[in-house]
Amino acid sequence: MKVRIASAEFAPADEVAVCRLHLDDGMPAGDGLLVPAALSTLIAQLVTDELRGADARAAPAHYERLRAATAGGGFDAARAVAALDCALWQSKARSAGEPLWRMLGGTPDRPPSHVALPADADVSDSIERMTARRFAAACLPLGGDARADRDKLAAYRNALARHAHDPVLMIAIGNDVAPETAISTIRALEADFDIALADCHGLAAHPAGWVDMPDDVAAAVCGGAGLATLAEFLPLFRARAIDAARVDIELTGISGAIQLSEAAYGLELPILLVETRNAVAVALATAVPNCMSVEIPWSVAMRGEGQARP
Amino acid sequence: MKITGYRHETYLMKMDRPIADCNQPAGVELLPGSILFIETDAGVSGIGLGFGGEAVATVFAAIEGRDPRETVALWMRMHDAIHKGGNEGAANAALSIADVALWDLKAKLADEPLWRLLGAREGRVKAYASGLDYCLSDDELFDFYRRLAHLGIDGGKLKVGLDFDADLRRVGIMRDALSVASDEPMLMIDANEYWSAKQAIRYVRHMERHFPIAWVEEPARRWDYHGLRQVSQCVGASVSTGENLNGIGDFMALIENDAVDVVSISSGHSGITGCRQIAHFAQAFGRPVSMMNCQANFMAHAAAALPNHSIMEVVDPGREHCLAFDNHIEDGHIVLGDVPGLGVTVDETVLRDLQAHPPTGKGVFPLSRRQGAGLYNVAPRPGEVPWRTGP
């Protein structure tokens, strides 16, 4: 069977592009992730330098090679590698004639999911759209105005409760919030709300400052925003600074997400998988042992994407 | 596609030579074999090798009727099925062998060797020789390591623990035997939990005055993360351990507390799925893993696909009586072929003959623990091992 990688194609759309691999026998290969169009050059270079002629079925091995080739490349490199890794896995699944979820060892069952609410949307409108899609869980980004946040949380909680027996309420805390402020904010909210998880975006950059937070709040402290690799997560693991790991497939790819998930599993930490536009997270969620929820970004949820089986 | 049934065959085999460690120096010649066939309505069956007894029925009930290609999800179902009492030992062995059979099945259905299905770039794994050799004479010891050195293997692991002077001599024999493959062969020693941490530190420090020891395996009890970390910090050699644990949960204390430098993994760690979990956990903490030995070296398929796999143990005592397999050793590596799945087939005629006429011999695996372990040293008695004849 010929499954050698021949080239990458980009289908530009506005400011993003779909990375698509071509195989040498002309069979349809896999689409990667949407990436900023500016990354097209880097991705094409990686295909030329690292992947051309290689067997697309060795996706995890290629992931290691791509990570090594882009070491120190930062956020852009992570996104480029993740896009290619997803394209490789899609190619691997297609060459086997299987859907991605089955290739990964998962099931067609829907995993638990929640919607990431928009920060600046009209609450009534977003509640209407959220409930129309029958979400039972939602994550609200806090805006800094305690009263407004409290009112929004109450509104979303009541909306979720209309059709969910046990609605799940989560909050996201921006990366400009200091740990002490985050703790006091969460504790104040916990007096009135049952917060399942607090996704602290500032935690990843400075885990030492957040190390006591899991002991200070009842909500599961989640961290990992902006992180791509095991090495980047290690300080969080070492410090036991999180109760759950946020795994963003657009940064980790599928191979990295599997690694992170299983490493977190070794510490009995669940993961929160962030969905992509082509529903990779839903495909992966049942193929890892510890996915607590798939986060559906608002834009993805409103397109009706991220919830269909890939 | 559905899982429709299973067939679990057990048998006893006599190896080509005895195997031993310092806990049972005289060694054993007999090894129980266990083969699990998981059958599907597609007419394809998967083969698992390992152990696993009556608990196979329990784990099978959790996967019957499911799609066999949902390997990780099926692992979760089996794992959850044995959640409560009796979840270790035989139950974990049953989970392990079933998981191996499911991965073999998934790869066969994809018409790919398992190493490729798992995403390895090539079906090739670096190997080291491991004699399980406490019961071998000095000449037999040399012959074993020299035979594998002629296949390019340039690392060896010696069973040690009860007699420092003899161990020192035999490490030298192992090194000399391996020298045809390398001027600086990789030397490892394995005490199989006979020592306390402090005994280990004294012993290894002494040994390191004579030989560069790459790793000391199981220098203290498997769960003693404090003691194992002490050893790791106090000797030059790395500490390798983990082979007698059940799965990833058992590794938490060891890895998180820096008690292991080289993580031993095997199919007994809840199968190929479990091995991958442990490897990724170890990788997060910057630790390599090493695959333990197995019949027909079938776990090389999993090792080939792990990003942090270092080197796999090869014992080669002759235990493939009813098995044919598609791999061989060349240039110091296990080279895996392209036969779909694990590349293992079972000769049913030989299997039936083994079941009908169980062999006899000295001792049955597994090896027991020796008196004095962790407390005081009980040296080999004269005649207990071929290399100890006098008082």
Side-chain angles (χ1 to χ4, degrees), chain B residues 107-128:
Chain B
K108 283 175 176 167
L109 291 166
D111 197 29
E112 290 186 345
L114 182 56
W115 62 264
R116 182 173 291 137
L117 180 82
L118 291 169
R121 188 192 306 273
E122 58 178 1
R124 197 162 177 270
V125 178
K126 186 166 172 60
Y128 73 89

Side-chain angles (χ1 to χ4, degrees), chain A residues 65 102 238 240 262, chain B residues 106 117 121 256 258 280:
Chain A
R65 187 168 176 164
R102 186 184 287 140
R238 279 272 184 213
R240 284 286 191 170
E262 295 185 342
Chain B
K106 185 177 171 79
L117 180 82
R121 188 192 306 273
E256 198 176 15
D258 299 320
H280 288 154

Side-chain angles (χ1 to χ4, degrees), chain A residues 169-238:
Chain A
L169 209 53
M170 306 177 187
I171 56 174
I173 297 175
N175 58 12
D176 55 344
V177 179
E180 299 78 11
T181 306
I183 290 169
S184 62
T185 301
I186 297 169
R187 292 187 68 145
L189 289 173
E190 286 179 335
D192 296 315
F193 298 96
D194 180 21
I195 309 290
L197 178 140
D199 191 1
C200 302
H201 290 196
L203 194 154
H206 304 288
W210 298 76
V211 67
D212 295 327
M213 190 163 171
D215 298 332
D216 288 334
V217 300
V221 174
C222 181
L227 303 186
T229 66
L230 287 172
E232 291 170 359
F233 270 84
L234 182 57
L236 276 63
F237 291 157
R238 279 272 184 213

Side-chain angles (χ1 to χ4, degrees), chain A residues 57-58 60-61 64-65 92 98 102-108 230 234 238 240 259 262-263 266 268 287 289, chain B residues 67 69-73 76 79 106 112 116-121 248 252 256 258 276-277 280-281 283-284 307:
Chain A
R57 293 169 294 184
E64 295 299 322
R65 187 168 176 164
K92 183 175 172 67
E98 292 192 344
R102 186 184 287 140
M103 171 53 68
L104 292 166
T107 72
L230 287 172
L234 182 57
R238 279 272 184 213
R240 284 286 191 170
Q259 291 179 355
E262 295 185 342
E268 287 295 338
Chain B
D67 188 321
R69 294 165 294 186
E70 300 171 359
T71 36
V72 181
M76 285 298 294
H79 180 263
K106 185 177 171 79
E112 290 186 345
R116 182 173 291 137
L117 180 82
L118 291 169
R121 188 192 306 273
I248 188 169
M252 185 198 293
E256 198 176 15
D258 299 320
R276 192 179 71 174
Q277 292 169 353
H280 288 154
F281 183 27
Q283 190 188 10

Side-chain angles (χ1 to χ4, degrees), chain A residues 132-178:
Chain A
R133 286 164 175 78
R134 304 193 65 77
F135 277 103
C139 183
L140 176 72
L142 301 186
D145 180 334
R147 176 180 288 271
D149 287 340
R150 191 175 289 270
D151 291 345
K152 283 186 187 176
L153 269 178
Y156 285 117
R157 177 187 60 188
N158 295 339
L160 291 170
R162 272 184 234 146
H163 61 81
H165 173 68
D166 187 16
V168 177
L169 209 53
M170 306 177 187
I171 56 174
I173 297 175
N175 58 12
D176 55 344
V177 179

Side-chain angles (χ1 to χ4, degrees), chain B residues 138-194:
Chain B
D138 287 5
D139 287 343
E140 290 168 331
L141 189 75
F142 182 88
D143 290 345
F144 169 78
Y145 287 103
R146 177 55 62 93
R147 177 167 65 84
L148 290 175
H150 279 313
L151 298 174
I153 290 181
D154 60 0
K157 185 174 77 186
L158 186 78
K159 296 295 188 185
V160 300
L162 306 179
D163 181 333
F164 181 82
D165 290 339
D167 292 344
L168 189 63
R169 181 184 76 247
R170 288 162 67 84
V171 170
I173 291 170
M174 178 174 73
R175 182 199 56 186
D176 292 346
L178 293 169
S179 64
V180 295
S182 169
D183 292 337
E184 295 182 9
M186 182 180 180
L187 306 176
M188 294 154 277
I189 55 176
D190 187 353
N192 291 95
E193 304 180 67
Y194 187 69

